[in-house]
Amino acid sequence: MKKLMTVLVLFLLVGCSDAYANTSTNDVLFEVNGVGVTQQELFTAMKAADSGRLAIEEAQKILTQDITDEAIADEANESLARQKEDLGELFEVQLKAAGYSDENDYMERSIKPYVRLKTKLTSFLTEDYDDFAISYKPRQLQILQVATRESGTEALEKLSAGTSFEEVAEEYKEGTTYIGEDKIHLMNDTTIPTEVTNFVLESNEPTLSGLIETATGEVKFFIVKVINPDVTAIKDKAIEAGLDNSTLTQKYIAKMYKDAGFKVYDKTIYDILSKDFADYLAN
């Protein structure tokens, strides 16, 4: 299996023709009911079966190989410990169900590749932070949705009297999305009500809104506390928020592959990848 993966990666990264990749030998690898299966047959079956994801995974290993185990050890170990704590006795069960032999196998095949990729993406976002801040408009906020105009008025009165935003949010929150958490919001997010976005982007210093009412569709009510509108001051937190944005991370992952010259010379694999990973391809 390792030899076949190596062959595949070589064809992906240093191939020389737009054709169908073949293995270097055609030895019989195994036999069942008197029928031998050759290396070429297995290789062809692998290409058809894995939908090109093996190619993506193996290329990712090469693209992140400059990030050493030592550099990611703390975060990888913390991630494993956190998952074990969250899942408790179910951890081992889910590990086996997912096809990992033990937690060492899980660490090597899942956690470390993820942390390496996250580290690489963090580096890209740090380098491009000015453009990211302009396009995605990160702000540190507390957004609270309340049920009615009356409850919103009561909530504002309590805030004016000195009650903390957290206490008010706990009493008046409506729904599960805007519950007054102190977090980074990316204001290019079109799911945030326009009226909220407009207030936030017009605020150049920490401030508290009045009661914000939406003007279209079902009327909804919001109170917003702008904690920090300074994109420079919230850079580290904003980058963390960016890493949680799947559209943004996919953009940078695709750029990483394309900039590295990710070319596929086997037609079967190319046709598969061009459907779901066209932005990754340099050819």
Side-chain angles (χ1 to χ4, degrees):
M1 179 64 78
K2 184 175 180 181
K3 182 177 180 181
L4 289 175
M5 287 183 178
T6 302
V7 171
L8 179 57
V9 173
L10 287 175
F11 273 102
L12 285 168
L13 298 180
V14 297
C16 58
S17 65
D18 186 5
Y20 291 95
N22 295 302
T23 58
S24 55
T25 64
N26 201 27
D27 300 333
V28 174
L29 295 179
F30 63 87
E31 192 174 284
V32 61
N33 280 342
V35 178
V37 175
T38 67
Q39 183 168 308
Q40 178 60 48
E41 288 169 333
L42 183 58
F43 179 68
T44 301
M46 284 174 59
K47 290 192 297 180
D50 86 326
S51 300
R53 293 190 181 278
L54 177 61
I56 294 293
E57 291 171 6
E58 291 301 302
Q60 181 181 309
K61 290 177 184 177
I62 295 172
L63 293 171
T64 60
Q65 65 185 354
D66 58 314
I67 301 170
T68 65
D69 280 359
E70 291 75 16
I72 62 170
D74 288 345
E75 186 171 354
N77 289 330
E78 287 171 10
S79 177
L80 178 61
R82 188 166 54 248
Q83 291 179 51
K84 291 174 73 173
E85 181 179 352
D86 290 344
L87 292 172
E89 294 179 357
L90 290 176
F91 177 77
E92 290 293 337
V93 175
Q94 295 204 12
L95 206 65
K96 299 296 183 185
Y100 299 101
S101 58
D102 53 33
E103 68 178 58
N104 242 1
D105 185 33
Y106 179 54
M107 172 68 81
E108 294 300 323
R109 291 169 51 201
S110 181
I111 294 180
K112 284 184 178 179
Y114 166 75
V115 176
R116 283 194 178 91
L117 181 60
K118 180 184 175 184
T119 302
K120 186 71 78 171
L121 292 175
T122 299
S123 175
F124 292 153
L125 267 176
T126 301
E127 292 173 6
D128 288 351
Y129 185 71
D130 289 346
D131 289 339
F132 163 68
I134 291 170
S135 298
Y136 287 83
K137 303 175 176 62
R139 300 291 190 275
Q140 186 177 0
L141 314 167
Q142 287 174 280
I143 303 177
L144 174 64
Q145 181 178 354
V146 296
T148 65
R149 184 178 292 108
E150 290 72 22
S151 61
T153 300
E154 288 179 12
L156 283 168
E157 288 173 353
K158 290 189 177 182
L159 288 169
S160 296
T163 306
S164 73
F165 201 97
E166 290 74 16
E167 289 181 74
V168 170
E170 187 61 35
E171 182 176 356
Y172 290 97
K173 64 186 177 183
E174 169 76 4
T176 58
T177 303
Y178 301 109
I179 58 175
E181 295 174 289
D182 178 349
K183 61 184 288 188
I184 300 297
H185 289 267
L186 304 180
M187 301 311 296
N188 75 320
D189 182 355
T190 55
T191 65
I192 298 174
T194 301
E195 294 79 6
V196 171
T197 298
N198 290 342
F199 170 77
V200 170
L201 295 182
E202 290 168 3
S203 302
N204 297 317
E205 57 186 28
T207 188
L208 180 68
S209 75
L211 187 61
I212 298 174
E213 300 185 21
T214 57
T216 57
E218 178 189 357
V219 178
K220 296 179 180 178
F221 305 92
F222 298 88
I223 299 170
V224 180
K225 180 178 181 181
V226 178
I227 298 171
N228 198 337
D230 184 346
V231 295
T232 302
I234 62 171
K235 181 175 181 178
D236 290 344
K237 292 179 180 178
I239 288 172
E240 282 292 324
L243 293 173
D244 286 335
N245 183 293
S246 59
T247 301
L248 178 65
T249 54
Q250 281 303 312
K251 169 188 167 184
Y252 277 98
I253 290 171
K255 185 176 185 299
M256 176 178 71
Y257 278 76
K258 183 168 285 189
D259 287 354
F262 180 55
K263 296 182 179 180
V264 177
Y265 295 95
D266 179 87
K267 191 175 187 308
T268 300
I269 301 173
Y270 180 87
D271 289 345
I272 291 169
L273 292 181
S274 63
K275 293 178 183 177
D276 296 324
F277 298 96
D279 291 345
Y280 287 44
L281 299 168
N283 63 332

Tab-separated table of all heavy atoms in Angstrom, residues 36-75:
chain	number	residue	atom	x	y	z
A	36	GLY	N	-5.497	-14.092	-9.695
A	36	GLY	CA	-4.492	-13.156	-9.215
A	36	GLY	C	-4.879	-11.719	-9.515
A	36	GLY	O	-5.425	-11.420	-10.578
A	37	VAL	N	-4.617	-10.837	-8.559
A	37	VAL	CA	-4.851	-9.400	-8.756
A	37	VAL	C	-3.495	-8.716	-8.803
A	37	VAL	O	-2.691	-8.830	-7.874
A	37	VAL	CB	-5.704	-8.810	-7.611
A	37	VAL	CG1	-5.826	-7.295	-7.763
A	37	VAL	CG2	-7.090	-9.455	-7.603
A	38	THR	N	-3.253	-8.019	-9.907
A	38	THR	CA	-1.947	-7.402	-10.106
A	38	THR	C	-1.884	-6.023	-9.474
A	38	THR	O	-2.896	-5.421	-9.118
A	38	THR	CB	-1.639	-7.263	-11.600
A	38	THR	OG1	-2.549	-6.316	-12.178
A	38	THR	CG2	-1.770	-8.595	-12.319
A	39	GLN	N	-0.643	-5.529	-9.400
A	39	GLN	CA	-0.434	-4.191	-8.861
A	39	GLN	C	-1.167	-3.158	-9.697
A	39	GLN	O	-1.775	-2.224	-9.172
A	39	GLN	CB	1.069	-3.891	-8.829
A	39	GLN	CG	1.421	-2.542	-8.216
A	39	GLN	CD	2.913	-2.427	-7.949
A	39	GLN	OE1	3.495	-3.296	-7.325
A	39	GLN	NE2	3.512	-1.351	-8.441
A	40	GLN	N	-1.140	-3.324	-11.036
A	40	GLN	CA	-1.818	-2.379	-11.910
A	40	GLN	C	-3.329	-2.397	-11.688
A	40	GLN	O	-3.990	-1.350	-11.649
A	40	GLN	CB	-1.512	-2.695	-13.379
A	40	GLN	CG	-2.228	-1.783	-14.379
A	40	GLN	CD	-1.862	-0.325	-14.202
A	40	GLN	OE1	-0.691	-0.001	-14.093
A	40	GLN	NE2	-2.855	0.556	-14.166
A	41	GLU	N	-3.903	-3.568	-11.511
A	41	GLU	CA	-5.345	-3.674	-11.293
A	41	GLU	C	-5.758	-3.016	-9.975
A	41	GLU	O	-6.779	-2.325	-9.895
A	41	GLU	CB	-5.768	-5.149	-11.312
A	41	GLU	CG	-5.713	-5.765	-12.710
A	41	GLU	CD	-5.869	-7.277	-12.696
A	41	GLU	OE1	-5.517	-7.917	-11.668
A	41	GLU	OE2	-6.340	-7.822	-13.704
A	42	LEU	N	-4.957	-3.237	-8.952
A	42	LEU	CA	-5.272	-2.644	-7.671
A	42	LEU	C	-5.119	-1.121	-7.734
A	42	LEU	O	-5.934	-0.368	-7.186
A	42	LEU	CB	-4.372	-3.218	-6.576
A	42	LEU	CG	-4.647	-2.724	-5.147
A	42	LEU	CD1	-6.081	-3.031	-4.726
A	42	LEU	CD2	-3.673	-3.341	-4.157
A	43	PHE	N	-4.090	-0.688	-8.421
A	43	PHE	CA	-3.852	0.749	-8.575
A	43	PHE	C	-5.025	1.417	-9.293
A	43	PHE	O	-5.518	2.466	-8.889
A	43	PHE	CB	-2.555	0.943	-9.361
A	43	PHE	CG	-2.185	2.385	-9.623
A	43	PHE	CD1	-1.804	3.214	-8.588
A	43	PHE	CD2	-2.204	2.894	-10.911
A	43	PHE	CE1	-1.444	4.531	-8.827
A	43	PHE	CE2	-1.848	4.210	-11.159
A	43	PHE	CZ	-1.470	5.032	-10.111
A	44	THR	N	-5.520	0.790	-10.352
A	44	THR	CA	-6.658	1.317	-11.099
A	44	THR	C	-7.903	1.373	-10.231
A	44	THR	O	-8.660	2.345	-10.262
A	44	THR	CB	-6.924	0.454	-12.344
A	44	THR	OG1	-5.750	0.456	-13.177
A	44	THR	CG2	-8.097	0.991	-13.146
A	45	ALA	N	-8.117	0.322	-9.436
A	45	ALA	CA	-9.275	0.280	-8.551
A	45	ALA	C	-9.192	1.369	-7.488
A	45	ALA	O	-10.199	2.000	-7.140
A	45	ALA	CB	-9.380	-1.094	-7.887
A	46	MET	N	-7.984	1.589	-6.965
A	46	MET	CA	-7.806	2.636	-5.948
A	46	MET	C	-8.158	4.006	-6.508
A	46	MET	O	-8.821	4.808	-5.854
A	46	MET	CB	-6.358	2.656	-5.455
A	46	MET	CG	-5.992	1.542	-4.508
A	46	MET	SD	-4.230	1.565	-4.151
A	46	MET	CE	-4.035	3.198	-3.457
A	47	LYS	N	-7.744	4.266	-7.735
A	47	LYS	CA	-8.022	5.566	-8.335
A	47	LYS	C	-9.521	5.803	-8.466
A	47	LYS	O	-10.021	6.893	-8.215
A	47	LYS	CB	-7.368	5.670	-9.719
A	47	LYS	CG	-5.864	5.765	-9.701
A	47	LYS	CD	-5.335	6.169	-11.072
A	47	LYS	CE	-5.659	5.126	-12.126
A	47	LYS	NZ	-5.155	5.524	-13.460
A	48	ALA	N	-10.245	4.756	-8.841
A	48	ALA	CA	-11.684	4.893	-9.036
A	48	ALA	C	-12.429	4.975	-7.718
A	48	ALA	O	-13.466	5.632	-7.614
A	48	ALA	CB	-12.200	3.713	-9.856
A	49	ALA	N	-11.907	4.323	-6.679
A	49	ALA	CA	-12.644	4.178	-5.422
A	49	ALA	C	-12.500	5.352	-4.467
A	49	ALA	O	-13.422	5.657	-3.725
A	49	ALA	CB	-12.213	2.895	-4.723
A	50	ASP	N	-11.372	6.033	-4.474
A	50	ASP	CA	-11.155	7.021	-3.414
A	50	ASP	C	-11.563	8.433	-3.803
A	50	ASP	O	-11.376	9.373	-3.036
A	50	ASP	CB	-9.690	7.003	-2.963
A	50	ASP	CG	-8.803	7.898	-3.823
A	50	ASP	OD1	-9.068	8.005	-5.024
A	50	ASP	OD2	-7.856	8.476	-3.278
A	51	SER	N	-12.135	8.603	-5.005
A	51	SER	CA	-12.625	9.901	-5.483
A	51	SER	C	-11.554	10.987	-5.483
A	51	SER	O	-11.848	12.165	-5.376
A	51	SER	CB	-13.819	10.359	-4.627
A	51	SER	OG	-14.859	9.422	-4.722
A	52	GLY	N	-10.308	10.591	-5.550
A	52	GLY	CA	-9.224	11.564	-5.615
A	52	GLY	C	-8.791	12.093	-4.265
A	52	GLY	O	-7.825	12.853	-4.171
A	53	ARG	N	-9.481	11.704	-3.190
A	53	ARG	CA	-9.145	12.264	-1.872
A	53	ARG	C	-7.781	11.790	-1.382
A	53	ARG	O	-7.102	12.508	-0.659
A	53	ARG	CB	-10.240	11.921	-0.854
A	53	ARG	CG	-11.534	12.622	-1.191
A	53	ARG	CD	-12.568	12.530	-0.109
A	53	ARG	NE	-13.796	13.206	-0.517
A	53	ARG	CZ	-13.995	14.514	-0.421
A	53	ARG	NH1	-13.059	15.280	0.094
A	53	ARG	NH2	-15.134	15.059	-0.822
A	54	LEU	N	-7.393	10.580	-1.769
A	54	LEU	CA	-6.054	10.123	-1.402
A	54	LEU	C	-5.005	11.036	-2.007
A	54	LEU	O	-4.009	11.371	-1.363
A	54	LEU	CB	-5.839	8.676	-1.870
A	54	LEU	CG	-4.448	8.091	-1.619
A	54	LEU	CD1	-4.125	8.070	-0.135
A	54	LEU	CD2	-4.340	6.690	-2.197
A	55	ALA	N	-5.246	11.475	-3.248
A	55	ALA	CA	-4.315	12.397	-3.904
A	55	ALA	C	-4.208	13.701	-3.126
A	55	ALA	O	-3.116	14.221	-2.895
A	55	ALA	CB	-4.785	12.675	-5.336
A	56	ILE	N	-5.360	14.240	-2.706
A	56	ILE	CA	-5.386	15.482	-1.936
A	56	ILE	C	-4.634	15.308	-0.617
A	56	ILE	O	-3.821	16.147	-0.215
A	56	ILE	CB	-6.840	15.918	-1.664
A	56	ILE	CG1	-7.549	16.300	-2.963
A	56	ILE	CG2	-6.874	17.075	-0.666
A	56	ILE	CD1	-7.030	17.535	-3.629
A	57	GLU	N	-4.897	14.203	0.065
A	57	GLU	CA	-4.274	13.961	1.371
A	57	GLU	C	-2.763	13.799	1.255
A	57	GLU	O	-2.006	14.340	2.067
A	57	GLU	CB	-4.885	12.715	2.014
A	57	GLU	CG	-6.332	12.904	2.447
A	57	GLU	CD	-6.977	11.611	2.886
A	57	GLU	OE1	-6.257	10.579	2.967
A	57	GLU	OE2	-8.194	11.603	3.146
A	58	GLU	N	-2.332	13.038	0.260
A	58	GLU	CA	-0.891	12.809	0.101
A	58	GLU	C	-0.170	14.095	-0.325
A	58	GLU	O	0.942	14.372	0.135
A	58	GLU	CB	-0.646	11.691	-0.921
A	58	GLU	CG	-1.063	10.316	-0.439
A	58	GLU	CD	-0.324	9.923	0.826
A	58	GLU	OE1	0.920	9.893	0.812
A	58	GLU	OE2	-0.994	9.639	1.829
A	59	ALA	N	-0.809	14.883	-1.179
A	59	ALA	CA	-0.207	16.160	-1.571
A	59	ALA	C	-0.125	17.097	-0.368
A	59	ALA	O	0.847	17.841	-0.205
A	59	ALA	CB	-1.020	16.797	-2.696
A	60	GLN	N	-1.155	17.067	0.480
A	60	GLN	CA	-1.153	17.926	1.678
A	60	GLN	C	0.026	17.599	2.584
A	60	GLN	O	0.622	18.496	3.188
A	60	GLN	CB	-2.460	17.762	2.457
A	60	GLN	CG	-2.538	18.649	3.695
A	60	GLN	CD	-3.826	18.456	4.459
A	60	GLN	OE1	-4.911	18.513	3.885
A	60	GLN	NE2	-3.725	18.220	5.763
A	61	LYS	N	0.377	16.313	2.684
A	61	LYS	CA	1.523	15.930	3.507
A	61	LYS	C	2.797	16.603	3.003
A	61	LYS	O	3.636	17.060	3.790
A	61	LYS	CB	1.700	14.410	3.504
A	61	LYS	CG	0.615	13.653	4.256
A	61	LYS	CD	0.828	12.158	4.153
A	61	LYS	CE	-0.309	11.381	4.815
A	61	LYS	NZ	-0.122	9.917	4.650
A	62	ILE	N	2.934	16.663	1.684
A	62	ILE	CA	4.116	17.291	1.101
A	62	ILE	C	4.087	18.805	1.337
A	62	ILE	O	5.093	19.424	1.688
A	62	ILE	CB	4.200	16.979	-0.408
A	62	ILE	CG1	4.425	15.478	-0.614
A	62	ILE	CG2	5.302	17.794	-1.080
A	62	ILE	CD1	4.334	15.031	-2.057
A	63	LEU	N	2.914	19.400	1.188
A	63	LEU	CA	2.783	20.847	1.316
A	63	LEU	C	2.969	21.335	2.753
A	63	LEU	O	3.257	22.515	2.972
A	63	LEU	CB	1.411	21.289	0.800
A	63	LEU	CG	1.187	21.111	-0.706
A	63	LEU	CD1	-0.263	21.374	-1.066
A	63	LEU	CD2	2.111	22.024	-1.501
A	64	THR	N	2.791	20.446	3.725
A	64	THR	CA	2.931	20.848	5.129
A	64	THR	C	4.116	20.163	5.816
A	64	THR	O	4.242	20.236	7.036
A	64	THR	CB	1.642	20.522	5.917
A	64	THR	OG1	1.382	19.112	5.852
A	64	THR	CG2	0.455	21.281	5.350
A	65	GLN	N	4.986	19.533	5.030
A	65	GLN	CA	6.068	18.760	5.632
A	65	GLN	C	7.124	19.636	6.318
A	65	GLN	O	7.919	19.145	7.127
A	65	GLN	CB	6.731	17.866	4.583
A	65	GLN	CG	7.450	18.623	3.477
A	65	GLN	CD	7.987	17.699	2.402
A	65	GLN	OE1	7.920	16.468	2.520
A	65	GLN	NE2	8.529	18.273	1.330
A	66	ASP	N	7.106	20.937	6.031
A	66	ASP	CA	8.058	21.837	6.689
A	66	ASP	C	7.666	22.122	8.135
A	66	ASP	O	8.464	22.683	8.895
A	66	ASP	CB	8.168	23.150	5.911
A	66	ASP	CG	6.832	23.860	5.778
A	66	ASP	OD1	5.839	23.178	5.451
A	66	ASP	OD2	6.766	25.082	5.993
A	67	ILE	N	6.469	21.747	8.533
A	67	ILE	CA	6.010	21.962	9.908
A	67	ILE	C	6.313	20.703	10.711
A	67	ILE	O	5.721	19.650	10.487
A	67	ILE	CB	4.504	22.283	9.937
A	67	ILE	CG1	4.239	23.543	9.108
A	67	ILE	CG2	4.017	22.466	11.372
A	67	ILE	CD1	2.776	23.823	8.868
A	68	THR	N	7.239	20.800	11.636
A	68	THR	CA	7.746	19.623	12.343
A	68	THR	C	6.805	19.165	13.450
A	68	THR	O	5.948	19.918	13.926
A	68	THR	CB	9.119	19.934	12.977
A	68	THR	OG1	8.936	20.949	13.988
A	68	THR	CG2	10.104	20.432	11.926
A	69	ASP	N	7.002	17.919	13.872
A	69	ASP	CA	6.231	17.374	14.990
A	69	ASP	C	6.445	18.227	16.245
A	69	ASP	O	5.513	18.456	17.024
A	69	ASP	CB	6.653	15.938	15.281
A	69	ASP	CG	6.001	14.945	14.318
A	69	ASP	OD1	5.217	15.384	13.459
A	69	ASP	OD2	6.288	13.742	14.427
A	70	GLU	N	7.671	18.692	16.441
A	70	GLU	CA	7.987	19.479	17.630
A	70	GLU	C	7.186	20.783	17.643
A	70	GLU	O	6.711	21.229	18.702
A	70	GLU	CB	9.487	19.804	17.686
A	70	GLU	CG	10.386	18.614	17.952
A	70	GLU	CD	10.560	17.695	16.746
A	70	GLU	OE1	10.228	18.144	15.602
A	70	GLU	OE2	11.003	16.554	16.931
A	71	ALA	N	7.006	21.387	16.468
A	71	ALA	CA	6.314	22.670	16.388
A	71	ALA	C	4.833	22.561	16.725
A	71	ALA	O	4.219	23.527	17.189
A	71	ALA	CB	6.483	23.269	14.993
A	72	ILE	N	4.255	21.383	16.495
A	72	ILE	CA	2.812	21.236	16.707
A	72	ILE	C	2.484	20.332	17.893
A	72	ILE	O	1.312	20.064	18.163
A	72	ILE	CB	2.126	20.668	15.451
A	72	ILE	CG1	2.664	19.256	15.136
A	72	ILE	CG2	2.297	21.607	14.268
A	72	ILE	CD1	1.879	18.527	14.079
A	73	ALA	N	3.506	19.876	18.614
A	73	ALA	CA	3.302	18.879	19.673
A	73	ALA	C	2.294	19.330	20.715
A	73	ALA	O	1.367	18.586	21.066
A	73	ALA	CB	4.636	18.533	20.326
A	74	ASP	N	2.449	20.546	21.216
A	74	ASP	CA	1.566	21.014	22.289
A	74	ASP	C	0.116	21.071	21.832
A	74	ASP	O	-0.784	20.577	22.521
A	74	ASP	CB	2.007	22.395	22.784
A	74	ASP	CG	3.303	22.337	23.586
A	74	ASP	OD1	3.695	21.228	23.984
A	74	ASP	OD2	3.920	23.401	23.796
A	75	GLU	N	-0.116	21.677	20.672
A	75	GLU	CA	-1.489	21.803	20.198
A	75	GLU	C	-2.097	20.445	19.860
A	75	GLU	O	-3.276	20.201	20.139
A	75	GLU	CB	-1.556	22.720	18.971
A	75	GLU	CG	-2.976	23.004	18.530
A	75	GLU	CD	-3.074	24.072	17.456
A	75	GLU	OE1	-2.042	24.680	17.119
A	75	GLU	OE2	-4.206	24.295	16.960
